[in-house]
Amino acid sequence: MGEFNVHRVRFFNYVPSGIRCVAYNNQSNRLAVSRTDGTVEIYNLSANYFQEKFFPGHESRATEALCWAKGQRLFSAGLNGEIIEYDLQELTIKYAVDAFGGPIWSMAASPSGSQLLVGCEDGSVKLFQITPDRIQFERNFDRQKSRILSLSWHPAGTHVAAGSIDYISVFDAKSGSAVGKMLVDRQYMGVSRRKCIVWGVAFLSDGAVVSVDSAGKVQIWDSATRTLVKSHLVSNADVQSIAVSDQEDSFVVGTAEGTVFHFQLVPVTSSSSEKQWVRTKPFQHHTHDVRAVAHSPTALISGGTDTHLVIRPLMEKVEVKNYDAALRKITFPHRRLVSCAKKKQLLLFQFAHHLELWRLGSTVATGKNGDTLPLSKNADHLLHLKTKGPENIICSSVSSCGGWIACSTASRFFLYRLNYEHDNISLQRVSKMPVFLRSALQILFSEDSTKLFVASNQGSLHVIRLLEGGFKHLHTFQPQSGTVQSMCLLAVSPDGNWLAASGTSAGVHVYNVKQLKLHCTVPAYNFPVTALAISPNTNNLVIAHSDQQVFEYSIPDKQYTEWSRAVQKQGFHHLWLQRDTPITHISFHPKRPMHILLHDTYMFCLIDKSLPLPNDKTLLYNPLPPTNESDVIRRRTAHAFKISKKYKPLLFMDLLDEKTLVAVERPLDDIVAQLPPPIKKKKFGT
């Protein structure tokens, strides 16, 4: 791999927000996840569970419910009393409607997807009609005495079950009148509690209603007779969430103790046609409350306060026992939160509401390979830049010279000029930024820091020339006719002549910056792009996709390179394709044009194109024999992929110069230490 001095950075104090809701869409095989800061993320389960879209959070949006409706339309509701629909093309909020019932605790779309129900703080259940453009209020159901914490439609759309405090109501969906009420037992372990909160309900086709509550019980009710059929005590704490499979042969619940339980409908005896619900499998993949669960055809999905999104495959549902059957735990966003000013050795860290600029430390000590060298000068925290307003930061970037910082929220774009005098730093904000720059999804400076490239959510790319204390708008590349898709990834060549942009669905477009026109479009691929970069020596565009394929495309020749064709002909090593985190950054060695450097969350890789590719019989992660072997044997057994797993979880890694790397890590233990304490559980022997 070669020897590098590595700056090992662990002072990026990033803590992901906890997961509040999840919603699975069976038609598109996508998962929507909302977090406690109001951020909503879209995962494409068919594209190796890649986070292909996200909507930035907002301080006033505490999302409590999330659901999909007909036509793959996504809605959310929360404690501010508003129902929000998201624009999945432009990645913005399409509109917000006040339900006029106080905070909204629950929401459910009808089986047909044409109606929307919300449960409110004042005890009202409100029905909305989903029209092509927005939603329209239709009527109120009979008001209840306490807040509506959970809702579920009967699969036929005829009735609705609503969970509240101490009882479950059943409504006629056509008239909106309450046709029955089931009182929940307040007792837990023989002791009567003051209140029993019904956190979740599920209405089944046979008329059964499954409820989960704060007494730790999973209960099955007969909605026709309003009687309790079966009760399962599964936890000493609250059972907070429930999700049922489409076939209604299993359901999953999540508890405040971090345990997920799987229930299945099984025959009473081997020869009997009568079936009953049985708790079959417990899973302990969380340390804190499991606030949300979902049930896909092949997996159980859960998330909660510990910030992890866990996908637990159901082995009996997975046809081919390959790597898709492995447990996945997604913690970090599939986008970059760190940018680097190489010439000044600065790092810019992006948080929800502020940016931090740090200068790396330095050392004069020397040592052998693997040594940890003491710092002669510690890292300096130069700048803490807080944005005004309640909106989260979408993206940010620092120029290579360290003289410019840009960031964007949903409604504002900020550009700052930095001046350095010895150990002092001065900041000047550039005023009167154009309105069309707001809601930028990606920001990138040219290598010489003279241009700024901004990708908007309208699909257009803006080219800005940077002047001393000001700017000039040079050009806007408009989206291709008939397409409006957000551009999420940008890459510029070191000479500043080429700009590559990738959208959420279509291929990669390459623009000629000098002539200000579209140069070519890379052939579309079935999986979304996760990272891209342009080589400094050859102007070859390297593209990484969510299925772990890597392509190299010659921009001058408008075709894939010979190396890329050879890779596709032979294929990647099976262990390379089985990695479950996407490549998020690609860079190049300035003096070695045959080297490509890239990383995901758990490995750093140097690809040497001059060496042969590994086949499936070759050791991928240990390509070199022991050092006491001869150079002839070492060269014979070496292959193109040099992989290091020393640095993890890895949020960012890049070359500062020919011999220096910077690696930004975020150990999971540091995140857990900043979470609220979990529920204390009695352990054997303590």
Side-chain angles (χ1 to χ4, degrees), residues 99 124-127 137-143 175-177:
S124 62
V125 177
K126 298 175 181 291
L127 181 67
F137 175 74
E138 193 166 327
R139 67 172 173 273
N140 282 317
F141 284 13
D142 289 350
R143 180 173 292 190
S175 64
S177 58

Side-chain angles (χ1 to χ4, degrees), residues 408-479:
S408 174
T409 66
S411 63
R412 303 180 76 181
F413 186 90
F414 301 92
L415 180 63
Y416 299 93
R417 183 72 168 120
L418 279 71
N419 294 301
Y420 303 88
E421 295 179 6
H422 304 293
D423 290 336
N424 297 323
I425 181 172
S426 60
L427 184 74
Q428 178 186 357
R429 181 181 165 190
V430 179
S431 59
K432 298 180 180 179
M433 296 303 296
V435 177
F436 56 75
L437 291 181
R438 67 184 184 185
S439 292
L441 296 179
Q442 186 74 298
I443 304 170
L444 188 64
F445 289 93
S446 61
E447 193 77 15
D448 59 4
S449 303
T450 61
K451 292 185 180 68
L452 174 66
F453 304 98
V454 181
S456 77
N457 60 350
Q458 305 286 336
S460 54
L461 297 173
H462 306 289
V463 184
I464 308 294
R465 175 177 290 159
L466 299 174
L467 308 172
E468 189 60 39
F471 67 93
K472 180 182 178 182
H473 178 231
L474 289 182
H475 187 71
T476 296
F477 295 109
Q478 297 295 342

Side-chain angles (χ1 to χ4, degrees), residues 12-32:
F12 182 21
N13 193 26
Y14 171 72
V15 179
S17 297
I19 294 174
R20 183 60 192 91
C21 313
V22 296
Y24 174 70
N25 188 322
N26 200 13
Q27 293 179 341
S28 63
N29 199 26
R30 281 172 170 79
L31 182 76

Side-chain angles (χ1 to χ4, degrees), residues 63 126 318 472 537:
T63 305
K126 298 175 181 291
V318 179
K472 180 182 178 182
N537 302 296

